[in-house]
Amino acid sequence: MLSKALLRLGTSAARHPWRVIAAWLLAAMLAVLAAVAFGGRTADSMTAPGLDSQRAAELIERAGTGQEGMTAQVVVTPLDDGATFFDDDGARTALMRLRAEVQRLPHVLGTSDPAGALDAGGDTAVRGGLVSADGRIAVVRVQYPDQSRLSAEDLDALVDLGDRLRAELPLRIEMGGNLFYVFSDPDGGASELIGLLAAAAILFLAFGSLVAAALPIGMAVFGLTVGVATMTVLAGVTEVPTFAPVLGSMVGLGVGIDYALFVLARHREYLACGLDPQGAAGRAVATAGRPVVFAGGTVVVSILGLAVANVPFMTVGGVAVSIVVLTMVLASVTLLPAFLGAAGPRLGRDGRIVRALRAGRSGRLGRRRDTAAGAVPAVGWRRWLGHVGRHPVPYAVGAAALLMTATLPVLGLRVGLPDDGSLPQSRTERRAYDLVAQGFGPGTNGPLVIAADLSGDPGVVDRLVAGVAADPGIASVAPARIDRATGVATLVVFPTTSPQDKATADTIARLRAEVLPAAIGHGPARAHVGGAAASLSDVGRRTSERLPAFVAAVLAMSFLLLMLVFRSVVVPLKAVLLNLLSIGAAYGIMVAVFQWGWGGALIGLEATVPIVSFIPMFLFAILFGLSMDYEVFLLSRVREEYLRTGDNGTAIVEGVSRTARIITSAALIMVAVFLSFAVAEDPSTKMFGFGLATAIFIDATVVRMVLVPATMTLLGRTNWWLPKWLDRTLPRGPVGTDDTDAESTGEAPRARLVDR
């Protein structure tokens, strides 16, 4: 049985703490060394097989025009407010030198030449999109090979050149492009530190002990080191998206400290009852560690379910985050009991309590034992739960109505990807974006690339150019480039709207559905719309299409697992519905903040942005797994009380009140950790942090402390109903709990869960 295995594992780790700690130190060192020797840098590739933008990319690569590679742009304007590139020889000379220096950088295939175009005639430069009509802004477009031949060193070289030339040339120099998007370091370091400090403060308030507060933090740091280093090694083998380390750190810190908190609370209970530290640690791992393993497994399986989207970067990102979660689960059942064994009896808020209990003087101190344990029913929680139990209907209806109201904004959810215009002004990408939009129009920041397989019909090109140029969503079309050897033509077109604007997605859809088919006719030629904006739009559409199937799969899996754990049909069904309500409310609040701008300034959001296309699916996977944590921890205690007393009302009050303070502390820790990432510069990181924090807050307050007790009170004994035929069919394996588990860990004998 799982409990017996965990009991042996926890007891052994507590009896030999320094061996286990040394093993984890060695594992951390080896992981870091492997990351240094074999690890890679994260990079983003927003592509997926079968998408129209992917077919366009394949045609461009076949033509070998150079447009299939990475790009960057250097945007410049004279420091002298009155100067223009048309009439200022000094500014033009500086522009020529800048271009020459960029051209000499490693791996640069070519650059545009705004100064040369000016020498050929000002109109040529303006028409080519190299110099703005007023002559104040010039763009040097830099072409690199494909991503597989590049690294973050290429980005560093370009940035370093810009820093040097800013001090030497009379130009304001800003930079952007997809080279920055792919190879920029993700946010994280400062947010992780803030989250750790906040978690330490909450743990100290929860336990009143510096030692007790330090152990979960230490365990989380160990687990995070091993997990993120392993993720870095994975990046050396395959392409790991840039958000994976940030999301892995965010989720890893949250679940790691949470898991440690639940085990530590049980350990302190056993200490207060008079057990020695080694025995208390073993039993704590056997009892609290069982739901930790289950909850962590649920998180991992939910995240791995992202593969259903058939978007490679999401699948790999899910694997990377799962590695961190698994590491935290392993640390919770091995490293943490070693810490507990090494700490000895000092983990009680007052060591005299444990000594007094051992001496048999438990009469006067028995009442204090509950406080020392940190997980027993506070009077306030008992009163609250009794109040909810006496008025279950208004509380159930009111809480459900509140969550459904918060969910309503989801009807206006729009997926996309925030462009550089949503970054703070402190970033050069944002300043470059603003200069380009000011000089050439917002669509210049997100050009589309139309690739056409002519199939022996060269007349298609003229029809394509004419049809695309006539579309109201297109500002201009660059001259077509035709590769005679492959019969592939490419057109770079500039929309009238910014990359993240919904109108741009509408333009892409219109080009594909109406303009391109009309231009091609019934001939053999084929045309596809590519470019970064089109790729992001396609990925967003695919994830939206696959989201219902993914949600259904996760819900079904969670229902089955909870049914095995609690031997009930009603409890898992209720859990699934309530979790859907809390996640839906979190989605709705995200739409209100990020799309509508409600309170966005509080988290440093400078402009409204669409919801990042892959975040709803990622959030659902993570949040559903995390919400299962609280469900398992809370209902495990309710179930224990129900089996002990046979009274549903008493079980609810006792079970929920015994876990209320720990769940509240755990939720506060997660909210603090996630909110520390919500103040990051990158809007995607903000969304992850804010969405996770909002959902956990709702789940731990409105759902766990109001809806769960209210609905369980209304359902009564029906909560634990399980048909006898199903009870005989369901396995009693390592997932579920039974009387044998109780006996192996010293729990009270329990009745069967099946209503006869």
Side-chain angles (χ1 to χ4, degrees):
M1 291 297 178
L2 180 60
S3 290
K4 289 182 179 179
L6 290 174
L7 177 65
R8 290 193 297 267
L9 184 63
T11 304
S12 176
R15 286 176 178 168
H16 309 284
W18 300 113
R19 295 181 189 177
V20 177
I21 294 171
W24 271 92
L25 275 172
L26 179 61
M29 292 173 57
L30 291 176
V32 171
L33 289 174
V36 172
F38 309 109
R41 295 287 293 267
T42 58
D44 287 315
S45 179
M46 298 293 181
T47 59
L51 299 178
D52 189 70
S53 54
Q54 180 66 21
R55 296 188 182 99
E58 291 166 358
L59 280 179
I60 294 169
E61 184 176 3
R62 194 175 90 189
T65 61
Q67 294 170 325
E68 71 276 11
M70 303 292 296
T71 60
Q73 58 183 16
V74 182
V75 188
V76 296
T77 186
L79 291 176
D80 184 351
D81 289 341
T84 72
F85 289 108
F86 291 133
D87 54 26
D88 189 314
D89 291 338
R92 189 177 302 191
T93 301
L95 181 59
M96 292 172 63
R97 179 186 166 190
L98 180 143
R99 180 204 172 235
E101 296 256 16
V102 172
Q103 182 73 51
R104 287 196 292 268
L105 288 175
H107 298 133
V108 171
L109 301 179
T111 61
S112 62
D113 185 9
L118 283 169
D119 291 335
D123 289 344
T124 301
V126 173
R127 287 196 304 271
L130 302 178
V131 180
S132 61
D134 62 3
R136 287 281 302 161
I137 300 170
V139 177
V140 177
R141 297 193 175 94
V142 189
Q143 186 66 53
Y144 286 91
D146 64 84
Q147 183 175 328
S148 62
R149 297 167 57 188
L150 301 175
S151 70
E153 294 177 359
D154 294 284
L155 175 60
D156 295 339
L158 181 62
V159 171
D160 291 343
L161 175 63
D163 292 339
R164 177 169 62 84
L165 292 181
R166 286 188 184 98
E168 300 175 4
L169 299 178
L171 299 174
R172 174 186 168 191
I173 302 172
E174 307 295 350
M175 299 178 176
N178 57 13
L179 187 73
F180 283 79
Y181 178 77
V182 170
F183 292 113
S184 291
D185 287 328
D187 297 333
S191 297
E192 293 168 13
L193 180 59
I194 294 171
L196 283 172
L197 292 175
I202 296 168
L203 285 168
F204 178 73
L205 291 174
F207 289 117
S209 165
L210 287 174
V211 176
L215 295 190
I217 299 294
M219 189 214 78
V221 170
F222 264 95
L224 199 61
T225 301
V226 174
V228 173
T230 306
M231 187 188 300
T232 304
V233 175
L234 179 65
V237 178
T238 187
E239 193 173 272
V240 175
T242 55
F243 66 77
V246 176
L247 187 58
S249 299
M250 198 186 307
V251 176
L253 281 178
V255 301
I257 296 173
D258 257 22
Y259 295 163
L261 179 63
F262 283 103
V263 175
L264 178 59
R266 274 297 179 100
H267 175 73
R268 284 162 60 95
E269 286 188 50
Y270 288 124
L271 279 180
C273 290
L275 290 179
D276 63 272
Q278 291 75 28
R283 291 196 177 183
V285 172
T287 51
R290 186 171 54 204
V292 163
V293 171
F294 168 79
T298 304
V299 174
V300 169
V301 173
S302 298
I303 295 175
L304 292 180
L306 292 166
V308 74
N310 194 25
V311 178
F313 79 86
M314 289 180 61
T315 302
V316 177
V319 171
V321 175
S322 297
I323 290 173
V324 179
V325 176
L326 282 175
T327 304
M328 289 300 182
V329 171
L330 183 61
S332 299
V333 297
T334 57
L335 180 59
L336 182 60
F339 283 162
L340 299 178
R346 292 173 292 173
L347 288 177
R349 182 173 296 177
D350 188 342
R352 290 176 298 173
I353 296 172
V354 176
R355 291 193 295 272
L357 285 169
R358 287 178 176 173
R361 294 185 289 111
S362 58
R364 182 172 56 87
L365 293 176
R367 293 185 297 274
R368 294 177 61 191
R369 175 175 64 101
D370 287 349
T371 302
V376 286
V379 174
W381 286 115
R382 292 173 62 91
R383 288 176 178 171
W384 166 252
L385 293 166
H387 177 67
V388 172
R390 290 190 297 272
H391 308 88
V393 173
Y395 276 106
V397 173
L402 176 65
L403 294 183
M404 286 189 285
T405 301
T407 304
L408 289 177
V410 171
L411 299 175
L413 185 145
R414 179 172 67 85
V415 298
L417 193 78
D419 54 32
D420 288 345
S422 58
L423 295 175
Q425 286 287 346
S426 59
R427 297 278 291 269
T428 186
E429 302 100 296
R430 168 63 186 273
R431 297 192 296 268
Y433 178 98
D434 289 345
L435 283 175
V436 170
Q438 174 188 332
F440 304 94
T444 311
N445 282 299
L448 306 175
V449 182
I450 297 176
D453 182 351
L454 303 180
S455 299
D457 184 5
V460 168
V461 176
D462 292 335
R463 298 197 299 272
L464 282 173
V465 171
V468 171
D471 187 88
I474 300 299
S476 62
V477 181
R481 301 176 63 177
I482 302 175
D483 183 72
R484 302 294 179 184
T486 59
V488 174
T490 56
L491 286 78
V492 178
V493 302
F494 299 95
T496 58
T497 49
S498 67
Q500 72 175 22
D501 199 310
K502 182 180 183 297
T504 303
D506 294 339
T507 297
I508 294 170
R510 189 168 57 251
L511 289 176
R512 288 171 173 164
E514 302 173 14
V515 177
L516 300 187
I520 290 173
H522 299 290
R526 292 291 179 269
H528 307 281
V529 182
S535 295
L536 296 172
S537 176
D538 289 350
V539 169
R541 188 176 66 255
R542 170 166 288 185
T543 54
S544 297
E545 291 171 351
R546 301 290 175 88
L547 184 59
F550 170 73
V551 168
V554 172
L555 294 182
M557 175 205 69
S558 301
F559 177 85
L560 291 174
L561 287 177
L562 286 174
M563 186 167 60
L564 286 172
V565 171
F566 294 112
R567 317 294 296 183
S568 165
V569 172
V570 177
V571 164
L573 180 61
K574 175 182 60 65
V576 165
L577 294 177
L578 295 186
N579 287 338
L580 274 178
L581 272 178
S582 63
I583 294 173
Y587 280 3
I589 295 172
M590 282 178 59
V591 170
V593 171
F594 288 93
Q595 285 186 211
W596 300 352
W598 293 7
L602 297 176
I603 57 172
L605 188 67
E606 297 196 2
T608 58
V609 294
I611 303 301
V612 177
S613 56
F614 53 85
I615 281 184
M617 189 173 281
F618 252 105
L619 281 187
F620 186 87
I622 295 169
L623 290 173
F624 208 88
L626 294 181
S627 62
M628 286 293 107
D629 291 2
Y630 296 141
E631 189 76 18
V632 171
F633 289 126
L634 186 149
L635 290 183
S636 293
R637 274 303 182 96
V638 174
R639 177 178 181 272
E640 287 179 20
E641 295 300 324
Y642 179 74
L643 292 172
R644 185 176 63 85
T645 66
D647 182 83
N648 185 69
T650 301
I652 294 169
V653 172
E654 292 295 324
V656 177
S657 62
R658 284 178 179 273
T659 56
R661 191 171 74 172
I662 297 300
I663 285 180
T664 303
S665 299
L668 282 174
I669 289 171
M670 278 207 181
V671 169
V673 170
F674 295 152
L675 280 181
S676 69
F677 286 84
V679 297
E681 290 184 345
D682 181 65
S684 300
T685 305
K686 284 183 185 294
M687 279 187 203
F688 273 127
F690 182 81
L692 289 168
T694 302
I696 293 299
F697 177 79
I698 291 172
D699 189 80
T701 54
V702 179
V703 173
R704 301 297 151 211
M705 299 305 148
V706 180
L707 269 176
V708 167
T711 54
M712 292 191 76
T713 299
L714 290 171
L715 290 169
R717 287 179 58 85
T718 308
N719 284 299
W720 312 109
W721 176 74
L722 182 72
K724 288 195 290 185
W725 65 268
L726 187 56
D727 180 53
R728 291 191 297 267
T729 304
L730 292 178
R732 295 181 180 274
V735 177
T737 57
D738 56 22
D739 296 345
T740 307
D741 282 346
E743 294 166 5
S744 70
T745 58
E747 298 293 316
R750 301 171 180 177
R752 296 293 296 277
L753 275 177
V754 183
D755 283 343
R756 302 296 178 184

